Amino acid sequence: MHDMKQLEQALGYHFQNPALLETALTHTSYANEARRGTKHNERLEFLGDSVLSIVVADYLFTHNDLPEGELTRMRASLVCESALFGFAQKIRLGDYLRLGHGEELGGGRHRPSVVSDAFEAVIAALYLDGGIEPARRFILPFVTQALTCKNTEDDYKTKLQEIIQQNPEERLSYVVTDESGPDHDKHFVVQVHLNSNCIGTGEGHSKKQAEQMAAKEALSLMGY
């Protein structure tokens, strides 16, 4: 396990009670194998999920005038397992986890469910040690970056669709041509077709991302 000081630097916060952070990083498998009384992170995960939800909901409510249904959809996309796993990877959180022997051998450091749960537990540790503001300062950079990337990506497909719709007889479709890699690190290749002709190819760690990159290439080749 890596030095906790390095993780505190990544979190942008120094813990008054380091035991909170240690517990947040402790998986049940480690606690079950360790000496009696070792705490694991499931209770912190429960609290962190709520802290994350309120911080994200507050930000979305404050920064736009979207209706309730759209706000709910956006919040769900930012607090789901895949989003949290992506956030956690940016700070290499998996490197710091305390895992039992079996979980370690089974690839727990790269398992989305394990790492995303620990991410929520770390949020709870920040909240309990310093209050809502340290938690908010930690969470919001991930949220704002994700929203920026999402808006940029959405523009590629939307713009391409708008251009093609000028000719009603034309039809766009996206086709996955290759899928590889383990579950925690998938790689997709997608082609965008205009009728039966390929007009762009894109790659990404999700089908959606690969589709966006294919649309981006198509727009570039079309001179947009």
Side-chain angles (χ1 to χ4, degrees):
M1 190 171 66
H2 286 49
D3 183 5
M4 290 299 98
K5 297 298 182 184
Q6 294 179 354
L7 181 56
E8 285 187 328
Q9 289 179 1
L11 298 177
Y13 182 80
H14 176 69
F15 277 82
Q16 302 302 310
N17 181 6
L20 281 169
L21 180 58
E22 186 174 277
T23 300
L25 301 171
T26 303
H27 189 255
T28 52
S29 61
Y30 182 94
N32 291 338
E33 294 178 10
R35 66 181 184 274
R36 188 174 182 179
T38 299
K39 295 181 179 180
H40 56 73
N41 63 10
E42 286 188 349
R43 279 172 51 83
L44 287 176
E45 174 202 338
F46 163 78
L47 178 60
D49 176 70
S50 295
V51 175
L52 173 67
S53 185
I54 188 62
V55 169
V56 173
D58 178 69
Y59 180 85
L60 293 175
F61 181 86
T62 303
H63 286 79
N64 63 69
D65 296 317
L66 294 171
E68 183 267 345
E70 183 66 13
L71 290 173
T72 299
R73 185 191 67 77
M74 290 178 68
R75 181 181 61 184
S77 73
L78 291 165
V79 303
C80 66
E81 180 181 289
S82 61
L84 300 186
F85 181 58
F87 299 161
Q89 285 182 306
K90 294 180 187 296
I91 59 171
R92 303 182 65 86
L93 186 62
D95 292 348
Y96 299 91
L97 300 184
R98 302 204 300 174
L99 304 174
H101 184 66
E103 189 66 37
E104 182 79 66
L105 292 177
R109 293 190 189 281
H110 307 288
R111 197 187 310 280
S113 59
V114 171
V115 179
S116 61
D117 286 351
F119 187 83
E120 290 181 325
V122 167
I123 290 172
L126 287 165
Y127 172 74
L128 290 172
D129 196 72
I132 192 67
E133 287 310 315
R136 191 191 310 275
R137 286 195 299 270
F138 172 64
I139 294 166
L140 287 185
F142 295 109
V143 171
T144 54
Q145 184 179 12
L147 289 172
T148 299
C149 291
K150 182 180 184 303
N151 291 338
T152 301
E153 289 176 351
D154 284 350
D155 283 344
Y156 295 134
K157 289 186 71 174
T158 300
K159 185 171 183 179
L160 182 61
Q161 185 68 35
E162 290 173 348
I163 292 169
I164 300 304
Q165 282 178 341
Q166 295 175 16
N167 298 304
E169 70 278 7
E170 306 284 7
R171 291 291 180 271
L172 276 179
S173 60
Y174 292 86
V175 180
V176 177
T177 59
D178 188 53
E179 178 180 340
S180 59
D183 288 342
H184 68 269
D185 191 23
K186 283 287 190 182
H187 181 79
F188 296 89
V189 179
V190 169
Q191 291 182 346
V192 56
H193 289 190
L194 178 59
N195 300 322
S196 60
N197 300 314
C198 175
I199 60 171
T201 301
E203 302 181 26
H205 290 294
S206 68
K207 292 179 183 178
K208 181 178 179 181
Q209 184 182 38
E211 288 174 357
Q212 303 294 354
M213 294 304 99
K216 180 181 181 181
E217 181 177 271
L219 287 168
S220 178
L221 293 172
M222 294 166 66
Y224 290 93

